[in-house]
Amino acid sequence: MLAMSRRALSFGVVAEAYERFRLGYPVELFDMVMTYAGQPVRTALEIGAGTGKATRLFAERGLTVTATEPDGAMLAELRKHVAANVRTVQAAVEDLRPGERYGLVYAAAALHWTNPEGRWSRMAALLEPGGVFASFGGPLQLADPAVEEAVRAARAPFLESEDVSRWDASGT
């Protein structure tokens, strides 16, 4: 694996607990992504699938999902919870070979674990013509103030605050 940080690969030791306690994604997220796509989507590639919370959301609604996850223990946990229309691959996005393309490439709280160098050309190479990329969850550091304000406004109805500094190790 290329330059994956130890922290990025540290979740596997608690894969069962991660699956048990991490919240899933609402159906409305799927609807928003499909509306954004503006066309039927049949295939999807998930970057950093973890235990498959977002994988299930998209697969249960008819997409054929390829779920990539570099951590073997997280991938093993994911495999316990997904249907036959999900293909699993132990790999970081940087390790995927060019060739197969998808109608949707998405990262659910995982984009920040990818290598920023060459990130967008890798994503574009994984999309079929007219395909879409979606990223949701995870931290954002936007350089353009106008884009940052637009993202804040879009998130406001769903997220009271993006401040995570008030959370301690117990989650309270």
Side-chain angles (χ1 to χ4, degrees), residues 29-139:
L29 175 65
F30 174 83
D31 297 338
M32 290 173 75
V33 171
M34 293 302 108
T35 298
Y36 176 74
Q39 63 187 6
V41 174
R42 291 184 222 29
T43 61
L45 175 72
E46 183 175 2
I47 306 300
T51 63
K53 298 287 184 168
T55 310
R56 292 190 291 271
L57 174 68
F58 285 84
E60 289 169 357
R61 280 151 191 82
L63 273 66
T64 301
V65 178
T66 298
T68 65
E69 171 56 48
D71 188 305
M74 294 292 275
L75 197 60
E77 187 65 30
L78 177 150
R79 288 176 177 143
K80 295 177 189 178
H81 305 282
V82 296
N85 63 332
V86 174
R87 184 175 133 226
T88 60
V89 177
Q90 185 174 354
V93 68
E94 295 84 1
D95 298 325
L96 297 176
R97 300 208 187 278
E100 195 163 355
R101 292 178 152 210
Y102 304 86
L104 169 67
V105 173
Y106 68 95
L111 189 63
H112 60 288
W113 296 117
T114 65
N115 184 349
E117 187 175 319
R119 176 184 290 150
W120 301 117
S121 59
R122 278 192 304 279
M123 299 304 168
L126 293 165
L127 286 168
E128 59 191 34
V132 296
F133 173 80
S135 177
F136 39 91

Side-chain angles (χ1 to χ4, degrees), residues 7 14 20 92 109 124 168-169:
R7 183 154 154 55
V14 292
R20 182 174 175 200
D168 65 21

Side-chain angles (χ1 to χ4, degrees), residues 137-152:
L140 282 179
Q141 295 176 337
L142 300 171
D144 184 317
V147 172
E148 185 174 35
E149 177 54 27
V151 168
R152 190 207 58 71

